[in-house]
Amino acid sequence: MSEREVAEQLKHERDLIADELHDIVAHEITIVALHAAVLDRTEDVQTRSQSQTAIREAAVQALTDIRRVLGMVRGEENLSPERVSSPDGITGTIAAVTKELGQAGIAVTADVPADLRLPSASLVALTRVIRESATNVLKHATGAHTVSIVLRVERGWVHLTFADDSPPARTAGLPASGYGIMRLRERFRLFGGTFESERKSQGWVVSASLPLSG
């Protein structure tokens, strides 16, 4: 292996580990921060209990994910980009974000083909879009009440739309790095697909498309 190939492989592995760390910090820690804020401002017993449960589950998941990333650094975990971030793929990822957004008072509707079959790389890319979009709703889309997730396979392409109904100019006050969106845009470009995230009249809309071959 040439020196250039070694350098490219090292960069690729660093990017994968950075993506994993970003997912942990952006997703699980966002949940902890938001529900900690809920505990500060409510005395309702049921609401406090739900937030405490959400914090506990997110913290446990973050610790589990951190151990896995450390395993990647030590060479004990596979660094393959085809590793699926959710063990249940699209269905499991949607179920997880539906629960997390529901705990924040945001209802999720999902329209996904029951017999969906996707290449591993496409599956990973799409689950990351769903996770990143859900995180951004929690962090920035204060005032959102509903989220819609629609996935379609048409003419050799898979199309994902993730939309919320948040009003403009309202955020939860949590910092934004822009890293997740940047990496998703880059990933979809490399796969020959498209990725857009923009505010429209009805709220934020994320649109992602990938060819199923090539």
Side-chain angles (χ1 to χ4, degrees), residues 106-158:
I106 302 170
V108 176
T109 61
D111 185 357
V112 178
D115 58 347
L116 183 66
R117 296 289 185 272
L118 296 174
S120 295
S122 299
L123 195 59
V124 172
L126 293 170
T127 57
R128 286 191 180 278
V129 171
I130 294 170
R131 279 179 59 87
E132 179 69 18
S133 299
T135 299
N136 286 338
V137 169
L138 291 170
K139 290 175 70 174
H140 308 304
T142 302
H145 295 98
T146 63
V147 158
S148 170
I149 303 172
V150 178
L151 194 148
R152 289 282 182 269
V153 177
E154 298 173 345
R155 299 179 181 178
W157 282 71
V158 57

Side-chain angles (χ1 to χ4, degrees), residues 22-190:
H22 171 268
D23 277 359
I24 297 167
V25 173
H27 195 74
E28 308 300 346
I29 304 306
T30 292
I31 293 171
V32 171
L34 288 173
H35 284 283
V38 171
L39 292 177
D40 282 341
R41 64 174 182 260
T42 185
E43 296 299 327
D44 180 76
V45 174
Q46 183 176 358
T47 300
R48 290 181 65 85
S49 177
Q50 290 174 343
S51 289
Q52 288 165 346
T53 298
I55 290 171
R56 182 167 56 252
E57 291 177 349
V60 169
Q61 186 62 51
L63 288 171
T64 300
D65 287 342
I66 288 170
R67 292 190 189 102
R68 176 172 50 76
V69 173
L70 290 175
M72 293 168 66
V73 174
R74 292 192 294 260
E76 299 166 2
E77 289 272 351
N78 186 10
L79 281 169
S80 167
E82 282 73 39
R83 187 190 60 76
V84 179
S85 48
S86 167
D88 298 316
I90 296 290
T91 301
T93 300
I94 290 176
V97 302
T98 295
K99 178 181 178 181
E100 292 159 357
L101 291 171
Q103 289 171 330
I106 302 170
V108 176
T109 61
D111 185 357
V112 178
D115 58 347
L116 183 66
R117 296 289 185 272
L118 296 174
S120 295
S122 299
L123 195 59
V124 172
L126 293 170
T127 57
R128 286 191 180 278
V129 171
I130 294 170
R131 279 179 59 87
E132 179 69 18
S133 299
T135 299
N136 286 338
V137 169
L138 291 170
K139 290 175 70 174
H140 308 304
T142 302
H145 295 98
T146 63
V147 158
S148 170
I149 303 172
V150 178
L151 194 148
R152 289 282 182 269
V153 177
E154 298 173 345
R155 299 179 181 178
W157 282 71
V158 57
H159 305 281
L160 173 68
T161 302
F162 188 111
D164 69 52
D165 63 346
S166 62
R170 294 184 65 184
T171 72
L174 297 177
S177 67
Y179 178 87
I181 295 296
M182 177 193 71
R183 287 290 292 161
L184 284 170
R185 195 169 278 125
E186 178 183 349
R187 180 186 288 263
F188 276 73
R189 179 183 62 80
L190 291 173

